[in-house]
Amino acid sequence: MRKKWIGFSLVGGLLVALAAVVAQQPSVLFVSTQFTPIEEAQRMRQVILKDFSGRVEFIPEDNAPFTNRILSEARAGKVNVSLVGGLHGDFPPLISAGALEPVDDVMAQLKDRKFSPTFVNLGKMGTGNQYYIPWMQATYIMVANKQALQYLPAGANVNTLTYSQLREWGANLQKATGKRLLGFPAGPRGLMHRFTQGYLYPSYTKSAVSKFRSDEAHRMWSEFKALWQYVNPQSTTYDFMQEPLLAGEVWVAWDHIARLRDGLNQKPNDFVAFPAPIGPYGRGFMPVLAGLAIPKNAPNRAGAVALIEYLTRPEVQLTTLVENGFFPVIQTKLPDNLPQGTRMGADAIARQAQSNVALPSLLPVGLGAKGGEYNKVFQDTFARIILRGEDIRRVLDAEAANLRRVMNDTKAPCWSPDPASNGPCPVN
């Protein structure tokens, strides 16, 4: 009975009526850039969406095909998708093309949900209207095997670790064990590019774009190259860091919380979770905010609204956390029976975001279908400097030209931590 009360009586008569009829509506085609790994998609379909009263066809897609699909349907005047789920940066090209409709009415129906005001404001995308409803949030953190703690540099604390101390920690581990026990997800489906975009660059340059080829960036790559000598060479095959952590192949690792969650939950007493390291400008980190939006002329708007209501219920927000590692965007008490590893991740995320040196960096905004080209600049820069040992200055100058082309082609203005720009974000 309590579950029904949480789900329905908070949201008013209209949503109750919608829930009553949604089972008779056509299936909701829900396309999302999130939960693309097969295991996450299966948990979304089989567990998270299990108690929804209507029918949902959930299709996860990578960024470029997702954007092309929504824009193509809008241009053709034949819209099949009723609900889209994406990261904050996925929405600007859809809004610019007039492919999304405002959802102020949906937000009004959800007024009793205690959304983060910051997230609600981000969902307005700089306009006077609500264009997406906050859905879930996540970020990237560090995890270490407790065996590694005895080799921390003198005076170092994992909660205030610097990049220099991380390098020294790796050296200590190698000296003591004869193994390279630092690890990063630099495999084909790994998120190493997010580390360079949202962690290294902000920490060393307070920028993600404009200072790409700066002297500060040169120093950053030089220092990271020195750190990489202590990184397990198998890192170029790692997509998720929880497996090598559980196998003991690495003792200290960075990754998305959703890709560390199973390891923490399986052996919570073996690991510690802690914030990302600190650089010259502070602790660069990348909060990940996902939202739910409705395409203009969606064939099943009522079903989409009912599904938004369902996905933002407190109990479903917590199910999403437990199953796929994304955290609630509403104020809700974490249950006492939350898996210990998930709680460890939540605590590390809070320490990362709330520290006095926190330097949040948004995911790329406004790149649309060229998001993959943007990522490729950082992937190629990493591969050329770190893996192939090419000259840092030569690589930065060459890749800066590619980055400049992406910014000019998309006309995307700067996003935090770069200062606001008039026109495309400059690559100086």
Side-chain angles (χ1 to χ4, degrees):
M1 192 69 185
R2 177 172 174 75
K3 183 175 182 182
K4 183 177 180 182
W5 183 85
I6 293 175
F8 293 99
S9 67
L10 288 178
V11 297
L14 180 56
L15 285 176
V16 172
L18 282 171
V21 302
V22 71
Q24 302 171 13
Q25 297 287 334
S27 178
V28 178
L29 181 55
F30 177 16
V31 179
S32 170
T33 61
Q34 301 308 290
F35 304 149
T36 54
I38 293 172
E39 299 84 357
E40 292 180 6
Q42 288 177 336
R43 289 193 291 264
M44 177 66 171
R45 296 184 184 107
Q46 297 171 8
V47 183
I48 298 171
L49 292 172
K50 178 171 62 74
D51 293 329
F52 180 60
S53 56
R55 290 179 295 135
V56 183
E57 183 180 359
F58 176 72
I59 300 179
E61 290 186 339
D62 288 336
N63 180 273
F66 164 87
T67 302
N68 288 332
R69 177 178 189 150
I70 305 304
L71 293 180
S72 297
E73 289 189 4
R75 283 193 294 266
K78 292 184 64 175
V79 179
N80 298 307
V81 177
S82 290
L83 184 66
V84 296
L87 299 178
H88 177 83
D90 293 332
F91 293 112
L94 308 184
I95 295 170
S96 297
L100 299 182
E101 65 172 35
V103 287
D104 300 82
D105 61 320
V106 183
M107 181 59 77
Q109 294 165 29
L110 299 173
K111 62 181 182 297
D112 291 321
R113 300 278 201 269
K114 295 180 180 179
F115 288 107
S116 158
T118 299
F119 293 164
V120 172
N121 189 56
L122 284 170
K124 295 181 179 179
M125 302 302 297
T127 73
N129 293 108
Q130 196 75 37
Y131 273 99
Y132 72 76
I133 305 296
W135 175 19
M136 57 189 186
Q137 63 167 321
T139 190
Y140 309 74
I141 60 169
M142 301 283 294
V143 168
N145 190 307
K146 288 182 179 178
Q147 295 179 79
L149 298 180
Q150 61 186 306
Y151 303 110
L152 274 166
N157 182 303
V158 290
N159 291 312
T160 56
L161 197 71
T162 67
Y163 280 99
S164 296
Q165 289 173 332
L166 179 61
R167 182 182 69 247
E168 189 177 347
W169 194 6
N172 292 347
L173 287 168
Q174 185 176 26
K175 183 178 179 181
T177 67
K179 299 177 182 179
R180 296 159 65 174
L181 292 173
L182 301 183
F184 288 90
R189 298 282 293 178
L191 296 170
M192 192 67 196
H193 56 287
R194 296 303 191 204
F195 179 74
T196 54
Q197 293 165 0
Y199 288 74
L200 274 183
Y201 261 97
S203 297
Y204 277 84
T205 72
K206 203 175 183 180
S207 163
V209 175
S210 63
K211 293 185 177 182
F212 178 83
R213 57 175 298 277
S214 64
D215 290 342
E216 294 160 316
H218 189 288
R219 173 194 168 191
M220 175 195 83
W221 283 111
S222 178
E223 293 191 8
F224 193 63
K225 188 174 182 179
L227 181 150
W228 195 262
Q229 65 185 307
Y230 306 115
V231 171
N232 189 312
Q234 291 300 310
S235 286
T236 54
T237 69
Y238 295 152
D239 293 334
F240 286 42
M241 292 311 302
Q242 57 197 13
E243 288 91 350
L245 280 166
L246 285 169
E249 295 174 17
V250 302
W251 283 5
V252 181
W254 172 95
D255 206 349
H256 192 289
I257 181 61
R259 298 182 175 202
L260 295 166
R261 176 183 59 90
D262 287 348
L264 291 174
N265 283 334
Q266 286 181 38
K267 295 185 176 180
N269 295 325
D270 289 2
F271 300 110
V272 293
F274 54 99
I278 299 166
Y281 279 99
R283 174 180 283 132
F285 75 100
M286 186 175 273
V288 180
L289 175 63
L292 299 163
I294 299 177
K296 191 171 290 184
N297 300 317
N300 187 4
R301 190 181 196 276
V305 173
L307 187 50
I308 291 173
E309 185 276 324
Y310 174 84
L311 289 169
T312 58
R313 294 179 191 173
E315 70 271 27
V316 178
Q317 291 266 294
L318 292 173
T319 300
T320 303
L321 166 60
V322 171
E323 293 299 324
N324 279 351
F326 278 77
F327 288 75
V329 290
I330 61 173
Q331 293 182 34
T332 184
K333 184 180 182 295
L334 297 180
D336 293 337
N337 64 348
L338 191 69
Q340 185 179 346
T342 301
R343 188 175 294 278
M344 289 164 59
D347 290 343
I349 288 170
R351 290 195 300 273
Q352 181 166 271
Q354 295 168 9
S355 70
N356 59 5
V357 293
L359 183 58
S361 174
L362 289 177
L363 281 159
V365 178
L367 301 181
K370 289 198 177 279
E373 293 181 34
Y374 176 83
N375 291 340
K376 188 174 186 298
V377 169
F378 291 87
Q379 290 165 333
D380 289 352
T381 302
F382 164 78
R384 293 177 65 181
I385 293 174
I386 303 300
L387 303 183
R388 296 203 289 269
E390 295 183 32
D391 179 76
I392 295 174
R393 174 50 55 203
R394 187 176 299 120
V395 172
L396 290 180
D397 289 346
E399 295 297 339
N402 295 329
L403 180 58
R404 193 175 294 115
R405 188 178 308 113
V406 171
M407 304 313 297
N408 289 337
D409 287 351
T410 60
K411 297 180 173 54
C414 294
W415 57 84
S416 176
D418 279 294
S421 63
N422 293 317
C425 192
V427 182
N428 299 322

